[in-house]
């Protein structure tokens, strides 16, 4: 098991109490792993400190099984790049780089005179799948510059294929609506009570 530990640093009189509670949670995690015969790989375990205080202080690293946990500024977790400043610029840059690399194949396929329907299918499977990966998690908090960068990739693909493609914003809205509809249909979902259906007049 290689977990990611995130320590929030709050500017409040309860700061020391919050840190103690956080470390206690880590100790309980270690104990739970032992009870359930799981090996906690400390070398692969990372800690990311989220601290928005003006005067940042040094954060003493955690110690698990007498080994210190490495403190990192960013990490890739479940396919997403998480940063200590809670922005998505690093994640967007990674997605943009991967998508741009795939665009090279479109020029080759275009030179082979493949029809637009085949190119569109190839786009959905190789580029759009990258742009829309976990999009409901990160796109809503992206900067305008990051959104423009992502949309540029879509426009480039449109020029190569010669057809209109769904914008990155439309993909985001569609995925959000689909996710919300699934939550409304599932009464066992933890967020089910957050949705209230509007009554017809």
């Amino acid at each position: 098991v290689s977990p990611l530990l995130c320590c929030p640093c709050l500017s409040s009189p309860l700061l020391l109490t919050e840190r103690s509670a956080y470390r206690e949670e880590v100790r309980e995690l270690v104990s739970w792993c032992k009870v359930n015969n799981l090996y906690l790989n400390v070398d692969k375990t990372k800690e990311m400190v989220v601290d928005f205080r003006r005067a940042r202080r040094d954060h003493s690293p955690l110690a698990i099984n007498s080994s210190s946990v490495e403190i990192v500024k960013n990490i890739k977790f479940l396919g997403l790049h998480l940063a200590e400043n809670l922005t998505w610029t690093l994640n967007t840059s990674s997605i943009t780089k991967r998508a741009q690399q795939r665009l090279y194949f479109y020029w080759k396929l275009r030179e082979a005179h493949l029809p637009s329907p085949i190119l569109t299918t190839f786009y959905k499977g190789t580029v759009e799948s990258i742009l829309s990966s976990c999009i409901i998690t990160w796109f809503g908090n992206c900067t305008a510059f990051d959104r423009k960068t992502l949309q540029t990739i879509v426009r480039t693909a449109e020029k190569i294929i010669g057809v209109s493609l769904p914008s990155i914003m439309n993909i985001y809205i569609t995925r959000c609506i689909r996710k919300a509809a699934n939550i409304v249909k599932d009464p066992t979902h933890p967020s089910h009570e957050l949705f209230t259906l509007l009554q017809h007049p």
Side-chain angles (χ1 to χ4, degrees):
V1 181
S2 304
L4 166 66
L5 307 174
C6 184
C7 174
C9 290
L10 306 175
S11 178
S12 69
L14 299 179
L15 179 58
L16 294 178
T17 303
E18 295 290 341
R19 286 183 179 178
S20 299
Y22 161 70
R23 294 178 182 273
E24 179 62 29
E25 289 290 338
V26 174
R27 285 192 288 269
E28 291 183 4
L29 171 63
V30 175
S31 300
W32 183 89
C33 289
K34 290 181 179 179
V35 171
N36 291 274
N37 298 319
L38 293 176
Y39 172 71
L40 191 62
N41 192 335
V42 182
D43 293 334
K44 292 185 177 181
T45 301
K46 309 299 178 184
E47 181 184 22
M48 187 170 67
V49 180
V50 180
D51 189 355
F52 291 106
R53 294 175 298 174
R54 294 181 179 179
R56 300 189 60 173
R57 302 176 182 176
D58 293 335
H59 178 77
S60 57
L62 287 170
I64 297 179
N65 298 330
S66 301
S67 299
S68 296
V69 177
E70 180 185 1
I71 298 178
V72 297
K73 294 183 179 298
N74 57 76
I75 192 173
K76 187 176 182 180
F77 186 69
L78 298 179
L80 295 177
H81 289 270
L82 306 177
E84 64 177 359
N85 58 2
L86 300 184
T87 64
W88 295 103
T89 300
L90 179 62
N91 185 71
T92 304
S93 300
S94 175
I95 292 175
T96 301
K97 182 178 180 180
R98 291 172 56 199
Q100 287 176 338
Q101 292 174 344
R102 303 290 178 88
L103 290 178
Y104 168 78
F105 297 103
Y106 287 92
W107 295 108
K108 293 299 181 180
L109 294 175
R110 184 179 180 181
E111 292 175 358
H113 304 289
L114 291 180
S116 296
I118 294 181
L119 292 176
T120 302
T121 301
F122 187 74
Y123 166 81
K124 290 182 178 296
T126 59
V127 176
E128 186 178 286
S129 60
I130 295 176
L131 298 177
S132 60
S133 177
C134 299
I135 191 171
I136 61 176
T137 302
W138 53 266
F139 186 79
N141 291 321
C142 274
T143 63
F145 177 81
D146 289 339
R147 295 185 182 186
K148 184 177 180 180
T149 302
L150 295 171
Q151 185 59 31
T152 300
I153 298 177
V154 178
R155 291 177 179 174
T156 302
E158 287 179 334
K159 294 179 180 179
I160 299 174
I161 300 174
V163 298
S164 178
L165 298 171
S167 67
I168 190 71
M169 177 62 75
N170 287 339
I171 295 174
Y172 168 68
I173 294 175
T174 301
R175 296 291 178 89
C176 286
I177 294 176
R178 184 189 307 169
K179 185 65 175 180
N182 291 334
I183 294 176
V184 170
K185 294 178 182 178
D186 184 7
T188 63
H189 195 282
S191 300
H192 177 75
E193 296 181 356
L194 300 178
F195 292 84
T196 303
L197 296 178
L198 298 177
Q199 300 294 331
H200 291 285

